[in-house]
């Protein structure tokens, strides 16, 4: 109850304060200009009362809308979220299997690995991956553990199952939401699995945490959890205990995947209804698969004598077969076979060759926007930082403070929008002084600009500080404009009030222009506050569940906001000032610098601030030789080359072993000269811009 009252009272207090401050500004102008005294006395109090009533009504309306969006979640929202998840997992599965023959997988029942018997008997014969995993899941009562060796295809099975469940839930009247999440981000700081799911799903699928929390509380989430083995070993017992507690509260639908070796070392067993183990393909299936690739490299791999048991044990891993298939598709004559070495050395050589091959791949024009050597070095650095933070997900739209600290001082990035704000205020002041010196204008426009422009800059500073300056947990370079209905409702309400009262005043024979001037003054001063009252509710939107999309939206929205809000404000201020003083010089001296302030502040508030922070981070990254200046384009290129995969709004390496390989290379690499790579316009897909 207190938090609900706080959400109402705080905006009301700010609204009343800004309206009263508008009164003070009007009286200050009355002291500076004797001509303003009469109409201030006649109109300032009606104007102030009008604005208080309008903004209070909007604040209450905004609170009601926010409460409805957060607390009364409809099946339409959940169905949209299901489509968003389906799009994510389907894209990831397509990326993984595109152009690569599928390998049959054997699933074997393992009831001994769960703490209670399966609810149904799971048959053992070989079946195709899609049919077997969905059938086994249903027969196990929708509570399943999947175990297998490293690179055995656990993630691919989860993608297949998630896609199947999304298709089923998309047509349900009361849908649940299947969500694929990787548990590598789990830490002992989370008290329950619901707490971790709320944060992980909100970050991965770009949705408000309050919405996800409500879904988790009401049992609407159907988690498919990958990478239990990737949880740090010291935190793994608590993670298992959290899953057990999650299932103990009430019957839940859940799937957990883990490496068999790591799971066997656990002291307790998960209380799931069923368990299956992914078995490796036999030698005959491996030979058929390599023959289907139809490349000299694959044929050479199949021609190794069966007496080399290390090599054939290596080939029975689906991960290795997929890597060989990718390498063969790019370079059919690649030398895949290594005659000597341990299993780990041979395995790493294939993974290393995979990274080198895909980064060297050229586009249809025979060009590459980035040098393969630089790209390899930058990816090694990224893998090293992710390895240090014990995570696999890299959110370029939502950079963690720990990640920023590995490049530069966090304060340097946090302060970047304020430096731009100082430049805007300084340039506008210099422009105002120059106009006053070159134009025959009175000092009143200078005073008006100092009052209105200073107030606009002050509230913009406050809003940027609140939305972008927080160091709690992570840096958030994302677009955080308040609910879009607030600015539009404000504009409609103000126009309606101005029109109605203008007609009334004009009918009484008084000056409507003076009233409009006074009302517009309060509107201009209150605009930055109006744009920033409250915080947004992020609803499911499949178009935003891609890395870098929110940053590009921020840049676009900033430009639109500066043009659509800043320019009209400057024009209105100039027209009203000119009409009031009947002096064109006064109108220009006030409108031009205030237009700079209004446009610049709107640019920052409506998306410029996160873009400035991203550019500040990218410049620091480039100056230290850890990445190019066009970092978004570089990450997108790595995804196209299949060096990085995309899960929701995060980039990740295709497999933990690839990340580990590159991180180890980064640690052993000597310092290199700092270099940069530029992106040629023809080499980057224009649809990404």
């Amino acid at each position: 109850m207190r938090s609900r009252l706080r959400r109402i009272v705080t905006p009301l207090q700010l609204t009343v304060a800004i309206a009263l401050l508008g009164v003070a500004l009007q009286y200050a102008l009355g002291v500076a200009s004797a001509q303003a005294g009469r109409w201030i006395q006649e109109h300032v109090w009606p104007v102030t009362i009008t604005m208080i009533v309008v903004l209070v009504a909007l604040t209450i309306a905004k609170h009601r809308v926010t409460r409805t969006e957060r607390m009364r979640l409809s099946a339409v929202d959940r169905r949209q979220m299901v489509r968003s998840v389906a799009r994510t997992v389907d894209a990831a599965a397509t990326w993984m299997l595109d152009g690569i023959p599928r390998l049959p997988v054997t699933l074997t029942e393992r009831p001994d690995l769960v703490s209670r018997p399966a609810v149904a008997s799971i048959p053992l014969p070989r079946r195709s991956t899609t049919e077997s995993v969905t059938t086994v899941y249903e027969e196990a009562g929708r509570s399943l553990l999947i175990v297998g060796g490293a690179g055995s295809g656990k993630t691919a099975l989860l993608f297949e199952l998630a896609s199947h469940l999304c298709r089923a839930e998309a047509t349900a009247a009361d849908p649940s939401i299947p969500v694929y999440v990787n548990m590598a981000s789990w830490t002992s700081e989370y008290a329950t699995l619901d707490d971790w799911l709320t944060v992980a799903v909100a970050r991965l699928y770009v949705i408000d945490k309050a919405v996800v929390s409500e879904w988790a509380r009401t049992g609407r989430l159907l988690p498919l959890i990958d990478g239990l083995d990737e949880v740090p070993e010291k935190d793994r017992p608590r993670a298992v205990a959290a899953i057990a507690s999650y299932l103990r509260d009430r019957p839940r639908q859940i799937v957990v995947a883990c490496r068999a070796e790591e799971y066997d070392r656990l002291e307790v067993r998960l209380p799931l209804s069923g368990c299956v183990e992914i078995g490796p393909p036999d030698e005959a299936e491996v030979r058929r698969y390599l023959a289907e690739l139809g490349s000299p490299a694959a044929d050479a791999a199949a021609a190794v004598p069966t007496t080399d048991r290390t090599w054939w044990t290596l080939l029975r891993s689906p991960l290795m077969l997929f890597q060989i298939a990718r390498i063969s598709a790019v370079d059919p004559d690649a030398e895949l076979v290594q005659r000597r070495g341990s299993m780990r050395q041979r395995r790493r050589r294939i993974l290393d060759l995979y990274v080198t091959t895909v980064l060297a791949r050229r586009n249809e024009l025979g060009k590459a926007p980035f040098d393969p050597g630089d790209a390899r070095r930058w990816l090694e650095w990224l893998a090293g930082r992710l390895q240090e933070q014990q995570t696999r997900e890299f959110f370029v739209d939502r950079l963690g403070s720990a990640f920023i600290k590995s490049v530069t001082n966090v304060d340097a990035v946090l302060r970047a929008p304020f430096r731009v704000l100082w430049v805007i205020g300084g340039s506008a002041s210099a422009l105002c002084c120059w106009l006053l010196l070159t134009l025959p204008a009175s000092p009143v426009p200078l005073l008006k600009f100092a009052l209105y422009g200073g107030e606009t800059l002050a509230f913009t500073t406050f809003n940027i500080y609140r939305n972008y300056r927080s160091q709690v947990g992570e840096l958030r370079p994302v677009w955080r404009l308040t609910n879009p209905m607030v600015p539009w409702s404000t504009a409609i309400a103000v126009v309606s009030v101005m029109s109605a009262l203008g007609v009334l005043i004009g009918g009484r024979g008084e000056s409507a222009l003076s009233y409009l001037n006074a009302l517009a003054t309060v509107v201009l001063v209150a605009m930055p506050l109006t744009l920033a009252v409250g915080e947004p509710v992020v609803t499911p939107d499949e178009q935003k569940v891609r890395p870098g999309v929110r940053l590009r939206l921020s840049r676009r929205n900033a430009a639109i906001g500066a043009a659509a809000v800043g320019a009209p404000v400057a024009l209105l201020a100039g027209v009203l000032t000119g009409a009031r003083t009947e002096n064109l010089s006064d109108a220009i001296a006030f409108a031009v610098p205030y237009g700079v302030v209004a446009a610049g502040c709107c640019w920052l508030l409506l998306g410029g601030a996160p873009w400035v922070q991203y550019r500040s981070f990218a410049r620091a990254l480039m100056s230290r030789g850890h990445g190019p200046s066009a970092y978004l384009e570089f990450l997108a290129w790595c995804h196209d080359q299949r060096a990085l995969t995309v899960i929701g709004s995060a980039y990740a390496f295709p497999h933990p072993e690839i990340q580990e390989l590159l991180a180890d290379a980064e640690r052993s690499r000597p310092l290199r000269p700092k270099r940069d790579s530029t992106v040629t316009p023809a080499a980057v897909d224009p649809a990404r811009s």
Side-chain angles (χ1 to χ4, degrees), residues 353-364:
L353 184 60
Y354 167 79
V355 175
T356 302
T357 302
V358 297
L359 289 178
R361 183 165 58 93
R362 303 282 173 169
N363 60 17
E364 294 77 3

Side-chain angles (χ1 to χ4, degrees), residues 199-371:
V199 175
V201 173
R203 287 165 58 92
L204 198 62
Y205 297 101
V206 194
I207 186 170
D208 193 84
K209 284 196 292 187
V211 175
V212 182
S213 178
E214 180 70 10
W215 285 337
R217 186 185 65 82
T218 57
R220 298 295 184 182
L221 290 182
L222 198 167
L224 288 82
I225 300 175
D226 197 4
L228 176 59
D229 53 278
E230 296 177 41
V231 176
E233 190 169 356
K234 61 182 179 63
D235 295 330
R236 205 172 296 158
R238 294 198 63 178
V240 173
I243 297 175
S245 177
Y246 176 84
L247 294 169
R248 193 178 301 116
D249 293 341
R250 60 178 181 271
R252 306 259 195 160
Q253 302 177 33
I254 187 173
V255 181
V256 181
C258 182
R259 288 187 184 181
E261 183 179 354
E262 280 75 7
Y263 188 81
D264 287 338
R265 289 202 295 262
L266 294 176
E267 296 179 357
V268 297
R269 294 291 182 251
L270 290 174
L272 299 169
S273 298
C275 173
V276 290
E277 182 175 14
I278 305 174
D282 58 29
E283 184 177 320
E285 289 174 333
V286 171
R287 290 186 182 277
R288 284 195 298 268
Y289 185 85
L290 293 174
E292 189 176 351
L293 297 179
S295 70
D299 293 340
V304 175
T306 55
T307 54
D308 189 346
R309 301 314 306 167
T310 300
W311 177 255
W312 280 99
T313 302
L314 181 70
L315 288 186
R316 293 184 66 190
S317 166
L319 173 64
M320 291 297 103
L321 290 176
F322 281 138
Q323 305 308 313
I324 290 173
R326 286 288 178 205
I327 295 170
S328 301
V330 178
D331 185 4
D333 298 318
E335 296 184 6
L336 292 169
V337 180
Q338 184 181 8
R339 296 294 180 179
R340 297 180 180 179
S342 64
M343 174 77 71
R344 175 181 171 83
Q345 290 172 335
R346 288 182 169 189
R347 190 179 183 95
R348 282 206 157 198
R349 183 181 180 278
I350 292 178
L351 294 176
D352 183 83
L353 184 60
Y354 167 79
V355 175
T356 302
T357 302
V358 297
L359 289 178
R361 183 165 58 93
R362 303 282 173 169
N363 60 17
E364 294 77 3
L365 301 177
K367 300 179 180 179
F370 300 98
D371 178 76

Side-chain angles (χ1 to χ4, degrees), residues 109 111 114 116-122 136-143 272-275:
E109 181 186 12
V114 292
R116 57 183 178 178
V119 298
S121 177
I122 304 175
V136 168
Y137 171 73
E138 295 293 341
E139 292 178 350
R142 297 197 164 199
S143 175
L272 299 169
S273 298
C275 173

Side-chain angles (χ1 to χ4, degrees), residues 105-124:
V105 176
T106 302
L107 297 182
T108 305
E109 181 186 12
R110 291 294 305 273
D112 57 304
L113 296 183
V114 292
S115 62
R116 57 183 178 178
V119 298
S121 177
I122 304 175
L124 300 179

